Amino acid sequence: MIRGVIFDLDGVLVSTDELHYQAWKRLANELGIMDFGRKDNERQRGVSRMASLEIVLEKGTKKYTDEEKRALAEKKNDYYKKSLQSLSPEDVLPGAKEALEMLRERGVLTAVGSASKNAPEILERIELMPLLDKISCGLDITRSKPDPEVFLVAAEKLGLAPEDCLVVEDSAAGIQAARNGGMKTLAVGPLSGQLGGDFEARNLSSVENWDEIL
Ligand code: G6P
Ligand code: MG
């Protein structure tokens, strides 16, 4: 029986996946990489900031030192953080708030499990903090998805065994991470049909039967 649901953040609860894409594209163009596109960005979903940078840099020919790479990742994060300033509850994805409310009503615990170090700021801005029992994010972990660490930390904070948790994800790395952690999975988002989740839905408002999942 599912006693807790762990939600990825970007692209699951909030539309910040698009803001990540715009910030990476801006950086890529500045580096002379003009053909960075949405297909490349699909691989950045769920992946850490530094690993996402590598996906940009592999499209170019120039080699960068570790120090230069850190500066480039910081630059992208500055662009991204600027775009977060206008983030509001209107950016919560369809059905996300309703799903959190429904789970609370049923007595199912809720958490966020996100690689992002910006997760606390985002959750404040979109005002979902009161509907979440625990947060596990990029600030809590050292290994990124597909390593299950971020979800195992979330389960532990909830006081639940991994097999009693469902993970909701929009990324291949995230679905794999949940599976590696022994959790059930619900795939959502534009790639939901190709992620191989135990369940799938285009978004949280189109989940047909929560009874079947829980
Ligand atoms: C999420 C996003 C990734 C992002 C990662 C780190 O997993 O899906 O695209 O790279 O978080 O986010 P941060 O906000 O810390 O750069
Ligand atoms: Mg995501």
Side-chain angles (χ1 to χ4, degrees):
M1 200 180 102
I2 298 298
R3 299 173 63 201
V5 179
I6 304 168
F7 293 84
D8 173 52
L9 180 62
D10 302 308
V12 170
L13 293 179
V14 60
S15 59
T16 40
D17 49 335
E18 178 65 20
L19 303 180
H20 274 295
Y21 170 60
Q22 297 298 343
W24 283 121
K25 186 156 182 58
R26 182 171 169 191
L27 182 79
N29 291 354
E30 282 173 9
L31 298 176
I33 300 166
M34 309 313 284
D35 63 343
F36 175 84
R38 289 185 186 275
K39 267 266 158 243
D40 305 301
N41 175 246
E42 281 178 5
R43 289 169 51 220
Q44 291 178 311
R45 283 180 189 268
V47 161
S48 74
R49 197 180 300 169
M50 292 312 285
S52 295
L53 174 67
E54 294 297 343
I55 292 170
V56 173
L57 296 183
E58 74 187 27
K59 304 223 51 157
T61 49
K62 199 165 178 281
K63 294 276 167 269
Y64 296 88
T65 64
D66 285 351
E67 201 177 314
E68 286 169 332
K69 285 180 185 175
R70 269 193 297 277
L72 290 174
E74 210 166 290
K75 198 171 192 193
K76 178 267 172 179
N77 195 47
D78 287 344
Y79 296 152
Y80 179 61
K81 283 192 83 113
K82 220 160 256 147
S83 68
L84 291 182
Q85 283 172 12
S86 55
L87 202 69
S88 81
E90 283 177 23
D91 299 298
V92 171
L93 286 167
K97 187 163 186 237
E98 292 76 5
L100 290 169
E101 286 168 343
M102 174 275 295
L103 291 167
R104 183 147 288 179
E105 223 159 85
R106 289 183 182 223
V108 176
L109 297 176
T110 58
V112 156
S114 165
S116 176
K117 295 184 167 141
N118 293 299
E121 176 183 342
I122 292 168
L123 287 165
E124 286 294 346
R125 287 191 186 278
I126 62 176
E127 297 175 13
L128 285 188
M129 216 59 125
L131 288 170
L132 290 156
D133 294 302
K134 297 289 172 194
I135 311 296
S136 167
C137 73
L139 302 169
D140 298 291
I141 56 163
T142 55
R143 298 182 300 277
S144 31
K145 302 171 187 175
D147 188 287
E149 187 181 13
V150 76
F151 296 137
L152 293 177
V153 168
E156 198 184 317
K157 285 190 181 188
L158 291 174
L160 297 177
E163 58 268 28
D164 292 333
C165 296
L166 171 82
V167 165
V168 188
E169 259 291 349
D170 68 321
S171 73
I175 291 286
Q176 195 52 52
R179 190 159 296 140
N180 290 342
M183 296 160 180
K184 298 211 180 55
T185 54
L186 165 62
V188 297
L191 306 175
S192 53
Q194 37 189 107
L195 297 179
D198 297 312
F199 303 96
E200 62 187 58
R202 185 62 185 74
N203 59 44
L204 284 166
S205 69
S206 63
V207 175
E208 275 172 26
N209 189 357
W210 276 105
D211 288 330
E212 179 197 8
I213 299 175
L214 300 172

